[in-house]
Amino acid sequence: MELTTREGTLFIRGRFDVRSTSLVRDRLYDEIDRTTDDVVVDLSELESIDATALRVLAVATRTMERSGRHLILRGCSPELRRVIAFTRLRRLVQLERAERGPLTA
């Protein structure tokens, strides 16, 4: 798991799962607290994601909405888009159009 923040975007590389959710959650909320703008989470180099990680993104989305902002997911692979649709998370999260890279869920 590698996390990088640059210009309002949190880049997540590697496996986003139960072992890394607390690290990602802390960095994500640091970014949410730091800015008054929308926050982008770049998942284009994500290797895998699990239900716990999806929940972190859903809760962060709700937190952002309370202040009139958005959490935007960038670089979602077609596989991740299907998982998001299947779990009905699509009702909560905002996705950018870019699609790249394989992902196992």
Side-chain angles (χ1 to χ4, degrees):
M1 164 63 61
E2 181 183 339
L3 298 173
T4 310
T5 307
R6 186 176 60 244
E7 299 174 11
T9 300
L10 176 63
F11 296 86
I12 302 175
R13 293 175 184 88
R15 296 175 186 262
F16 185 11
D17 56 24
V18 71
R19 293 176 302 249
S20 59
T21 53
S22 63
L23 175 64
V24 173
R25 182 174 38 260
D26 291 347
R27 289 287 294 274
L28 181 56
Y29 280 90
D30 285 347
E31 189 63 24
I32 289 170
D33 292 341
R34 187 193 66 74
T35 185
T36 57
D37 296 325
D38 293 344
V39 173
V40 176
V41 177
D42 188 299
L43 304 172
S44 59
E45 295 187 41
L46 195 65
E47 292 174 14
S48 64
I49 191 166
D50 70 5
T52 307
L54 290 172
R55 182 169 169 80
V56 167
L57 296 174
V59 172
T61 297
R62 294 265 187 193
T63 300
M64 296 284 294
E65 287 175 348
R66 286 188 207 114
S67 63
R69 300 179 292 157
H70 297 97
L71 181 72
I72 303 165
L73 302 182
R74 175 182 292 160
C76 295
S77 67
E79 294 87 355
L80 179 53
R81 287 175 179 270
R82 282 193 291 277
V83 168
I84 289 170
F86 179 75
T87 61
R88 299 181 189 232
L89 187 61
R90 182 63 187 107
R91 293 185 210 172
L92 297 176
V93 298
Q94 183 172 342
L95 303 175
E96 277 191 353
R97 291 204 170 253
E99 296 180 10
R100 305 189 287 206
L103 174 81
T104 57

